[in-house]
Amino acid sequence: MTEVLVPFVNSLVVLDLEGDRLFAKYYNGQSKAEQAASENVLYKKTKAVSAKTEAEVLLVDQEVVVFRSGIECKFFISGPVEENELILVGVLECVFDTISTLLKGQVDKRTMLENLELILLTIDEVLDHGHIMELDAVAVVSRVLMKASDANNSQTIGDLSVSQALGLARDQFLKSLSASANGGRGGDGF
């Protein structure tokens, strides 16, 4: 019987231009000290390289690392040395394109930190404990924003986020106020 190999990612790291971590997910059990050392090596090896248009590939400490630059940051995906770098580039492109779409092209430090929940949801949609789950950026954007993929976009109250539910309640409240102010007598008794 042949063993099915599922592509695996060791880590996803985003560093700013000074080499400080913006956020990271490690799936290979590294300690905090090993993570910091790894991030320091990545920063030193890539600080002079601009990879704004396409991903670059490195071999660092028996790991294949692919990276791409945003405006004020660099995205790194690492995998086992046996992993196909094209698969890792696909994961990187999916994460980068999804984040770029969600942030309307402003992939900078401040915007990413202000929208950290969207970025963490993106990572969780693409990777599950290091296993690659999705490589279609459009599908990931749809899931992160909780939009229905079909034409019928009606949502139940349980499918709404808190801010969406509060907005819906506010709209209904204002509608009932305007109806009572206009002398409309609904069945509410107002």
Side-chain angles (χ1 to χ4, degrees), residues 12-59:
L12 184 149
V13 179
V14 178
L15 302 177
D16 66 11
L17 295 180
E18 290 81 38
D20 297 324
R21 179 194 297 186
L22 295 180
F23 53 88
K25 287 266 195 159
Y26 285 86
Y27 303 105
N28 58 356
Q30 286 185 339
S31 69
K32 296 283 185 191
E34 291 171 327
Q35 291 175 10
S38 174
E39 291 167 12
N40 191 26
V41 168
L42 290 175
Y43 170 70
K44 287 180 180 176
K45 286 200 177 248
T46 62
K47 68 181 174 182
V49 179
S50 174
K52 291 195 183 275
T53 58
E54 61 184 33
E56 296 286 334
V57 181
L58 297 170
L59 183 62

Side-chain angles (χ1 to χ4, degrees), residues 154-173:
S154 62
Q155 294 178 320
T156 63
I157 196 73
D159 292 338
L160 298 176
S161 69
V162 173
S163 61
Q164 291 170 328
L166 289 174
L168 182 62
R170 183 194 70 223
D171 292 345
Q172 289 178 349
F173 177 73

Side-chain angles (χ1 to χ4, degrees), residues 1 9 57 70 110 132 145 161:
M1 184 182 268
V9 170
V57 181
R110 189 182 117 259
I132 301 167
L145 295 176
S161 69

Side-chain angles (χ1 to χ4, degrees), residues 32-176:
K32 296 283 185 191
E34 291 171 327
Q35 291 175 10
S38 174
E39 291 167 12
N40 191 26
V41 168
L42 290 175
Y43 170 70
K44 287 180 180 176
K45 286 200 177 248
T46 62
K47 68 181 174 182
V49 179
S50 174
K52 291 195 183 275
T53 58
E54 61 184 33
E56 296 286 334
V57 181
L58 297 170
L59 183 62
V60 179
D61 297 332
Q62 297 302 313
E63 285 187 324
V64 176
V65 178
V66 295
F67 71 97
R68 183 167 175 189
S69 299
I71 297 171
E72 298 175 343
C73 57
K74 289 188 179 176
F75 290 75
F76 299 89
I77 301 274
S78 70
V81 73
E82 303 85 21
E83 193 61 72
N84 185 337
E85 62 268 5
L86 293 176
I87 292 174
L88 297 177
V89 168
V91 174
L92 177 65
E93 293 297 328
C94 179
V95 170
F96 188 86
D97 292 347
T98 301
I99 291 172
S100 181
T101 301
L102 291 170
L103 301 181
K104 297 175 179 51
Q106 295 184 347
V107 186
D108 59 37
K109 181 178 179 178
R110 189 182 117 259
T111 307
M112 285 196 305
L113 290 175
E114 288 175 353
N115 295 285
L116 190 58
E117 71 280 359
L118 294 176
I119 292 166
L120 294 176
L121 284 170
T122 297
I123 295 168
D124 287 342
E125 287 294 331
V126 174
L127 299 169
D128 183 26
H129 294 84
H131 298 286
I132 301 167
M133 303 304 289
E134 182 67 66
L135 291 178
D136 181 13
V138 175
V140 175
V141 167
S142 177
R143 286 191 196 123
V144 168
L145 295 176
M146 295 188 288
K147 290 186 177 178
S149 59
D150 59 357
N152 183 11
N153 198 14
S154 62
Q155 294 178 320
T156 63
I157 196 73
D159 292 338
L160 298 176
S161 69
V162 173
S163 61
Q164 291 170 328
L166 289 174
L168 182 62
R170 183 194 70 223
D171 292 345
Q172 289 178 349
F173 177 73
L174 292 175
K175 187 187 287 183
S176 70

